[in-house]
Amino acid sequence: MKFKKHVFICTNERPNGKECCGEERGMALVELFKKEIRERKLAVDIRAQRAGCIDVCANGPALVVYPEGVFYGKVEPADVAEIVESHLVNDIAVERLKLKV
Amino acid sequence: MKFKKHVFICTNERPNGKECCGEERGMALVELFKKEIRERKLAVDIRAQRAGCIDVCANGPALVVYPEGVFYGKVEPADVAEIVESHLVNDIAVERLKLKV
């Protein structure tokens, strides 16, 4: 396994303004995850990156953490540090943001 | 786990023509995976989609299959049906394309 944790953040847009993660909202999260991972020197084992639609559009902004396959929804920039500290570092999923999928 | 297999295909471009998966080559694979998955009616359990750089640039076009975290490199359109049949359906990784990461 190249990465202990690999985070895919949806940056997709849907046509006609349908509910969705959105490129702008998704990229804000991507940048925050990358910054947090870089500053904590976790980048060898943990990667966060953009991805296309992860099929939970109504819960955007959304992301998925592998290898566990835990999906998170309605993630705000203020949640990023908690997800990194709790889930990515200490392996404890953030229950309040976890999607039942 | 929302998907039994979740495939992320790099569609990233790097500046100055550096060796890379490339949007055009990556998207060709994304479309072929989606078509194969759709035609075989596997879409409830298996998803293939585009992603940003998965950090194995010299081996592009590249992709990763989760939850196993198996990385594949130098994937050609002609390899897609084999990856779907062998790995995604029958859980047997395609060794000749697997990256040692």
Side-chain angles (χ1 to χ4, degrees), chain A:
Chain A
M1 190 83 71
K2 182 172 167 64
F3 301 113
K4 286 184 188 161
K5 304 284 180 196
H6 201 163
V7 184
F8 294 92
I9 300 144
C10 177
T11 58
N12 200 43
E13 300 280 5
R14 292 209 297 173
N16 308 319
K18 282 188 190 161
E19 204 166 10
C20 189
C21 297
E23 189 176 350
E24 199 178 328
R25 298 157 80 201
M27 278 311 296
L29 293 178
V30 172
E31 296 308 325
L32 281 170
F33 269 102
K34 282 184 182 293
K35 182 170 179 282
E36 190 80 16
I37 288 166
R38 192 172 56 236
E39 285 179 358
R40 298 178 59 150
K41 302 193 194 316
L42 300 168
V44 172
D45 291 329
I46 297 175
R47 185 170 181 87
Q49 59 169 97
R50 68 190 164 84
C53 172
I54 57 173
D55 198 26
V56 289
C57 309
N59 295 293
L63 57 94
V64 56
V65 181
Y66 278 105
E68 300 89 317
V70 167
F71 283 68
Y72 289 114
K74 308 283 185 198
V75 179
E76 296 296 329
D79 301 318
V80 171
E82 182 181 355
I83 295 172
V84 172
E85 172 67 21
S86 178
H87 189 156
L88 306 187
V89 173
N90 293 312
D91 233 347
I92 300 163
V94 179
E95 292 297 330
R96 70 186 174 83
L97 298 170
K98 210 170 147 179
L99 296 177
K100 288 167 189 62
V101 289

Side-chain angles (χ1 to χ4, degrees), chain B residues 10-24:
Chain B
C10 178
T11 59
N12 200 42
E13 299 280 6
R14 293 210 296 174
N16 309 320
K18 283 187 190 160
E19 205 167 11
C20 188
C21 298
E23 190 176 348
E24 199 179 327

Side-chain angles (χ1 to χ4, degrees), chain B residues 11-83:
Chain B
T11 59
N12 200 42
E13 299 280 6
R14 293 210 296 174
N16 309 320
K18 283 187 190 160
E19 205 167 11
C20 188
C21 298
E23 190 176 348
E24 199 179 327
R25 297 157 81 202
M27 277 312 294
L29 294 178
V30 171
E31 296 309 326
L32 281 170
F33 269 102
K34 283 185 182 293
K35 183 170 178 282
E36 189 81 15
I37 289 166
R38 192 173 56 237
E39 285 179 357
R40 298 179 59 148
K41 303 194 192 317
L42 301 169
V44 172
D45 292 328
I46 297 176
R47 186 171 180 86
Q49 60 168 96
R50 69 190 165 84
C53 172
I54 57 174
D55 199 25
V56 289
C57 308
N59 295 292
L63 56 93
V64 56
V65 181
Y66 278 106
E68 301 89 316
V70 168
F71 283 68
Y72 289 113
K74 308 281 185 199
V75 179
E76 297 296 330
D79 301 319
V80 171
E82 182 182 354
I83 295 172

